[in-house]
Amino acid sequence: MSIRPDTSVQYLKGIGPKRAARLAKLGIRTVEDLLFHLPVRYIDRSNPQPVSAVKIGEETTLITRVQGTNVRRTRKGPLVQVLAGDSSGQITAVWFNRPDLQGTFKPGETLLLSGQVTFYNQPQMVNPFFERLDENPDFFKSPIFAVYPLTEGLGTWEVRRAVARALDDLEGMTETLPRHILDKYEFPDILAALRAVHRPQRMTDVNRGLSRLRYEELFFFEILVGFRRNALEYAAGGQALEVEGSLTEGFLSNLPFQLTGDQKKAIEEITADLSVPRPMHRLLQGDVGSGKTVVALHAMLCAVQSGRQAAMMAPTEILAEQHFAGWQGILAETGARALLLTGSLKGREKEENRKRIAKGAVDMIFGTHALIEENVEFGDLALVVVDEQHRFGVLQRAALSAKGEVTPHVLVMSATPIPRTITLSYYGDLDVSVIKEKPAGRAERTTKLAYDSRSAGVYRWLAERIERGERAYVVCPLIEESEKLEVSSAKETFEELKTFIKPSRMALIHGRMKADQRSLAMQRFRSGEIQVLVSTTVIEVGVDVPQATIMIIRHPERFGLAQLHQLRGRIGRGPRPSRCVLLLPSGLSPQARERLKVFAATEDGFKLAEEDLRVRGPGQIMGTRQHGLPDLRIADLLRDRNTLEAARDDAFSILSEDPRLSGYPRIATTVRRRHSESLRMLGVA
Ligand code: ADP
Ligand code: MG
């Protein structure tokens, strides 16, 4: 059969169903996927070195003959040793933890070794990359030679052969980028680029090929973002709201504080959007504690004074309750009727609330995912607010919007501070308002590291502070596999703390508690009746008790930095200085400790998010998949920032001139072939 880009890899000679299944683990299903699976490094053997010329400490590649082999038993398992050399000298190669290599090297065979040279009696290489050249005569065909990331049960040779076959037999792989773009950047065409990265003649070929492929990945990514934006812009409806009126005026004049300049600006931007008959799609971004809620409430009141409804969806019940309860006083004075809808409301009350929402007997609805359940209907929904939007998928956001008869205005809020270029590339379909300024009157917050082995000292210090009337969170380790374990570790911490602090001053709070018990505990903490809240990560987002000044986090190494920053954001919200203590377990790796040190020294959420982005990739941080966008495999949002911006400009300018891509069949077919899943999720299939 002919090999086409969308042919399944299992039809490549030498692959078959078993190996295809292994490739699928790397996300490789089609021939095109395989061709975009790029080498991790290259071995340049254009000028092979004699063994005698190796330098200790350098990376080098040698072609040697095996002279002898040996296996030593060690406590950690067998150690495979090979004595190899050429006419000029000798070198030892050793492999730890590779029992599979025992007895496989034969004296006399030709062996390529590549790795760093160390010294132990004589030059040696530890766990070098190797190739058995007698078995792979193809090797000599190419001066530079690609090494692929491996997966269990798939050798680099197997991948290389499959790639070679695909490159040789490929039919119908037509150019994917428009001519003007190829010309603009002097990119090689698609096949030349693929050949250059998989079978280069010179290392400079690799770079030329790579820059095109990176650009290409980002370009199609941005085409998807652009599609999503267009889908929103062309969405029907949208109705203007009354942005000036007695409710918003009353609300603003009753606030117990002065709005910051950034808050005012965000309010202006939002009211400008709301006052025209086109649905708003705005992202309100601001570091933890910057005061986004009040801006959102103002927008909601615009809907109410237009005689319509507004809903705010939060990712946790605690947060929904807080929005509802915390602002009830001020909202009540405006005359707006507010109500709470969460999963744990009792049957009758829930039913009652649902009826009131449907009849339009309430104006402002606060809730959780419960808001998007099928049986929830709104009388007249004009504005949707999604708090901590990174906790929701694109589908959930859409589900809430779909509750409006006419497309409602949408405001999404996020505290994950993402570098601007990247925000634009992910949320290119949203307008962005940013709150940078912190509200006035916030005292300093410091973060310190301490060792778990010294926890008694930390807890004694905590007890002293509690004695003086301060309030604290003690956050228990994140245990991703099991909420149950997480809860039991929180209980343990609670028991441990009893030796230091009177139990009557503490409460435990976690995700498996009944909702009313949990809100009671929150309530008591808020009022100061208790002073220590021992909690799991349920308090991660949004919880707002300005009097809390201490946070102790156990096993901070289990959290991402952005997540730790969110947690830490629970303190430092009031006029008293506050302190966060990270309790490190013993045996933490130097890298992990370094990362936490950086965290302790940095208050800038943007910097931390970048660091996270670098270490963990964007998918983890922003839920790429949930946003309907594919994971990036070749390009890197941080490293390739400039390329990203170029790709975005190019993609958007094509789409603004030709939204359906009718004049760009290459782009259109490529997107459909490569990103059918994203297209479906984005609802533009
Ligand atoms: P976030 O942006 O993290 O959602 P919140 O909206 O919860 O932050 O606000 C954090 C705290 O700051 C709340 O207690 C809120 O009432 C208070 N706050 C908001 N704006 C101001 C302001 N301009 N001045 C003083 N306090 C403010
Ligand atoms: Mg918030």
Side-chain angles (χ1 to χ4, degrees):
M1 74 183 287
S2 67
I3 299 299
R4 305 185 62 84
D6 56 356
T7 305
S8 161
V9 281
Q10 77 171 73
Y11 300 114
L12 283 175
K13 222 190 272 166
I15 293 288
K18 235 193 217 147
R19 292 196 175 117
R22 290 179 195 143
L23 285 171
K25 279 195 193 151
L26 299 175
I28 300 171
R29 289 180 183 80
T30 64
V31 167
E32 184 167 29
D33 294 338
L34 179 68
L35 290 175
F36 278 81
H37 179 63
L38 301 191
V40 276
R41 62 195 180 100
Y42 296 88
I43 294 175
D44 185 351
R45 34 163 234 102
S46 45
N47 50 353
Q49 282 207 52
V51 173
S52 63
V54 299
K55 292 204 182 66
I56 311 301
E58 275 186 3
E59 291 276 339
T60 193
T61 300
L62 301 169
I63 293 172
T64 63
R65 201 163 289 277
V66 175
Q67 300 177 348
T69 68
N70 184 26
V71 178
R72 270 197 17 225
R73 307 276 143 211
T74 71
R75 255 179 302 143
K76 289 181 181 161
L79 171 67
V80 177
Q81 296 176 308
V82 167
L83 183 65
D86 59 15
S87 55
S88 73
Q90 278 188 330
I91 188 166
T92 338
V94 301
W95 286 272
F96 294 92
N97 301 321
R98 291 293 304 266
D100 57 305
L101 295 181
Q102 284 182 75
T104 58
F105 296 106
K106 300 281 174 289
E109 82 169 298
T110 319
L111 196 62
L112 172 134
L113 295 171
S114 181
Q116 201 188 26
V117 180
T118 55
F119 194 85
Y120 186 76
N121 295 327
Q122 68 172 7
Q124 86 166 358
M125 284 187 186
V126 179
N127 294 331
F129 172 80
F130 68 95
E131 290 278 354
R132 301 163 195 280
L133 296 185
D134 299 333
E135 291 171 19
N136 297 295
D138 284 357
F139 176 73
F140 292 101
K141 283 190 195 150
S142 151
I144 294 177
F145 152 116
V147 180
Y148 290 88
L150 294 187
T151 177
E152 227 180 273
L154 263 184
T156 199
W157 265 109
E158 286 167 307
V159 176
R160 201 176 310 131
R161 275 206 201 103
V163 169
R165 212 152 271 148
L167 279 177
D168 290 341
D169 301 345
L170 191 63
E171 286 170 30
M173 180 74 163
T174 45
E175 181 50 56
T176 48
L177 292 175
R179 187 77 249 162
H180 76 272
I181 285 181
L182 294 177
D183 290 345
K184 178 168 169 190
Y185 302 104
E186 298 181 8
F187 281 147
D189 68 43
I190 178 82
L191 270 175
L194 288 171
R195 291 212 172 96
V197 295
H198 290 292
R199 276 196 306 215
Q201 296 298 313
R202 287 177 307 262
M203 282 310 289
T204 46
D205 297 348
V206 174
N207 296 332
R208 256 167 58 80
L210 262 184
S211 35
R212 181 214 144 111
L213 296 177
R214 285 184 182 142
Y215 172 92
E216 170 162 358
E217 187 175 44
L218 293 169
F219 175 82
F220 284 105
F221 188 90
E222 290 301 323
I223 288 280
L224 290 170
V225 172
F227 273 175
R228 190 173 62 176
R229 186 179 75 157
N230 287 352
L232 295 175
E233 256 172 27
Y234 296 123
Q239 289 173 354
L241 299 180
E242 303 289 338
V243 296
E244 274 167 28
S246 58
L247 267 67
T248 45
E249 265 163 40
F251 175 71
L252 291 178
S253 60
N254 273 331
L255 286 178
F257 46 72
Q258 289 279 327
L259 290 175
T260 63
D262 282 350
Q263 282 173 321
K264 284 188 194 145
K265 189 156 157 266
I267 286 179
E268 271 169 31
E269 288 166 345
I270 290 168
T271 48
D273 287 354
L274 295 180
S275 60
V276 295
R278 184 164 60 96
M280 168 172 79
H281 278 277
R282 188 169 281 277
L283 166 68
L284 176 59
Q285 206 179 45
D287 205 349
V288 199
S290 60
K292 296 184 288 294
T293 318
V294 59
V295 174
L297 292 171
H298 180 272
M300 291 173 80
L301 287 169
C302 292
V304 181
Q305 70 196 3
S306 312
R308 309 189 51 201
Q309 289 174 313
M312 184 189 293
M313 179 160 72
T316 65
E317 291 199 0
I318 293 186
L319 199 49
E321 282 161 16
Q322 173 182 295
H323 288 324
F324 174 68
W327 291 90
Q328 218 170 13
I330 293 181
L331 291 177
E333 277 181 51
T334 65
R337 298 160 299 175
L339 155 164
L340 180 70
L341 190 75
T342 61
S344 58
L345 279 189
K346 303 262 158 32
R348 193 154 17 95
E349 201 181 350
K350 204 174 186 177
E351 190 46 47
E352 193 54 40
N353 282 359
R354 272 205 293 259
K355 274 196 194 129
R356 294 178 58 204
I357 299 172
K359 275 202 307 232
V362 283
D363 311 306
M364 300 173 86
I365 300 100
F366 296 87
T368 54
H369 299 80
L371 290 176
I372 51 179
E373 279 168 21
E374 238 163 69
N375 53 12
V376 178
E377 277 172 36
F378 287 82
D380 186 13
L381 184 62
L383 169 75
V384 162
V385 179
V386 180
D387 194 14
E388 308 291 349
Q389 67 91 27
H390 60 285
R391 293 293 195 92
F392 295 98
V394 67
L395 296 179
Q396 288 166 317
R397 268 163 32 197
L400 186 53
S401 301
K403 302 270 182 193
E405 195 114 313
V406 185
T407 314
H409 298 281
V410 178
L411 179 67
V412 302
M413 305 201 283
S414 176
T416 308
I418 296 156
R420 181 152 184 88
T421 48
I422 294 179
T423 314
L424 282 176
S425 349
Y426 265 80
Y427 307 115
D429 50 346
L430 297 175
D431 297 308
V432 185
S433 295
V434 181
I435 305 184
K436 280 227 169 93
E437 227 175 316
K438 282 224 153 117
R442 299 262 170 97
E444 197 197 12
R445 174 175 66 199
T446 46
T447 300
K448 298 276 176 210
L449 307 185
Y451 280 94
D452 219 1
S453 53
R454 303 266 170 83
S455 62
V458 173
Y459 293 158
R460 266 195 300 276
W461 165 80
L462 173 66
E464 247 168 56
R465 293 303 181 101
I466 296 307
E467 208 51 51
R468 289 195 230 156
E470 294 194 36
R471 278 180 238 174
Y473 300 97
V474 179
V475 182
C476 298
L478 172 74
I479 301 175
E480 281 183 350
E481 313 82 72
S482 153
E483 194 186 13
K484 202 166 152 195
L485 283 178
E486 199 162 287
V487 170
S488 72
S489 107
K491 285 185 178 153
E492 263 166 42
T493 307
F494 190 83
E495 289 303 310
E496 218 176 303
L497 277 168
K498 277 187 183 166
T499 344
F500 302 88
I501 296 163
K502 280 205 205 88
S504 60
R505 292 193 165 178
M506 307 194 289
L508 181 65
I509 180 168
H510 58 71
R512 293 203 158 190
M513 261 162 111
K514 291 241 170 61
D516 46 351
Q517 280 181 327
R518 203 173 49 215
S519 39
L520 186 65
M522 272 319 293
Q523 186 45 45
R524 293 172 66 211
F525 185 63
R526 202 162 270 148
S527 70
E529 190 189 330
I530 56 159
Q531 292 164 270
V532 180
L533 206 53
V534 179
S535 95
T536 58
T537 51
V538 291
I539 59 141
E540 178 188 341
V541 293
V543 169
D544 182 43
V545 181
Q547 296 85 352
T549 47
I550 298 172
M551 172 169 283
I552 295 175
I553 305 178
R554 298 190 55 209
H555 283 285
E557 78 284 359
R558 298 198 187 160
F559 298 92
L561 296 187
Q563 203 182 4
L564 277 177
H565 190 61
Q566 270 274 5
L567 271 172
R568 176 167 73 175
R570 303 307 114 227
I571 59 169
R573 295 181 160 238
R576 291 166 75 180
S578 58
R579 163 154 307 183
C580 173
V581 182
L582 307 178
L583 274 186
L584 316 186
S586 57
L588 202 59
S589 74
Q591 295 92 307
R593 209 166 44 226
E594 197 42 48
R595 202 173 132 254
L596 293 173
K597 266 195 196 154
V598 169
F599 174 76
T602 316
E603 270 291 322
D604 184 339
F606 276 79
K607 278 213 187 106
L608 294 171
E610 271 189 35
E611 180 67 17
D612 252 4
L613 216 50
R614 214 170 48 73
V615 178
R616 308 198 307 166
Q620 287 264 333
I621 320 288
M622 294 183 268
T624 326
R625 286 257 177 76
Q626 291 198 356
H627 292 115
L629 297 174
D631 282 337
L632 294 175
R633 294 168 51 188
I634 303 176
D636 176 312
L637 288 183
L638 285 182
R639 184 196 54 207
D640 303 326
R641 247 184 241 204
N642 296 335
T643 310
L644 174 67
E645 270 181 73
R648 175 174 196 271
D649 289 349
D650 294 337
F652 277 35
S653 90
I654 289 174
L655 283 177
S656 72
E657 157 210 324
D658 184 357
R660 305 188 164 275
L661 295 175
S662 19
Y664 293 92
R666 288 173 184 183
I667 302 178
T669 45
T670 309
V671 177
R672 269 197 300 267
R673 188 174 70 228
R674 287 189 194 161
H675 298 300
S676 53
E677 191 184 337
S678 293
L679 290 176
R680 202 155 21 79
M681 277 193 75
L682 297 173
V684 286

